């Protein structure tokens, strides 16, 4: 996952998606090269967002999934946090969702 994430440059490569079919759930990591938007969907239909509330509300221009937009800095995470999020997702969130995950 670290290698795939390293390809996200915020210009040409802007998104990685991971999905499970049974039950269906997904995780998307977008942006790069320094900050990433991590979102997903749970089997019960909940929408996941990984956040970094310590970063405040400064808005950052970022290309996510080919779309340029402003994102609050608190909704973006570092590469290390994005890689951990993917590992947690692939492990089925065995330890539960951490405190920086929100579900809508």
């Amino acid at each position: 996952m670290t290698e795939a994430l390293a390809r996200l440059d915020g210009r040409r490569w802007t998104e990685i998606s991971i999905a499970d079919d049974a039950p269906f759930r997904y995780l998307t990591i977008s942006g790069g090269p320094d900050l990433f938007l991590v979102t997903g969907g749970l089997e019960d239909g909940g929408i996941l967002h990984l956040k970094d509330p310590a970063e405040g509300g400064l808005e950052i221009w970022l290309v996510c999934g080919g779309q340029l937009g402003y994102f609050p800095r608190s909704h973006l995470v570092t590469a290390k946090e994005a890689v951990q999020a993917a590992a947690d997702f692939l492990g089925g969130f065995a330890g539960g969702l951490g405190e920086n995950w929100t579900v809508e």
Side-chain angles (χ1 to χ4, degrees):
M1 179 54 65
T2 303
E3 293 170 13
L5 194 67
R7 291 189 71 180
L8 296 183
D9 61 8
R11 292 174 300 160
R12 183 173 181 173
W13 308 103
T14 63
E15 185 174 273
I16 298 168
S17 293
I18 307 166
D20 258 342
D21 288 332
F24 181 74
R25 62 193 186 102
Y26 68 91
L27 187 76
T28 301
I29 302 171
S30 305
D34 301 313
L35 295 172
F36 302 89
L37 180 70
V38 179
T39 61
L42 297 173
E43 51 272 1
D44 65 2
I47 303 296
L48 289 171
H49 297 277
L50 182 60
K51 298 183 180 179
D52 187 353
E55 289 297 331
L58 176 69
E59 290 199 334
I60 307 281
W61 274 105
L62 195 65
V63 177
C64 294
Q67 301 294 315
L68 178 63
Y70 274 119
F71 296 88
R73 175 58 183 91
S74 61
H75 291 201
L76 305 173
V77 298
T78 65
K80 181 179 177 181
E81 292 165 316
V83 168
Q84 184 61 54
D88 292 345
F89 173 83
L90 292 170
F93 294 107
L97 295 173
E99 63 185 35
N100 288 345
W101 286 102
T102 62
V103 180
E104 296 177 9

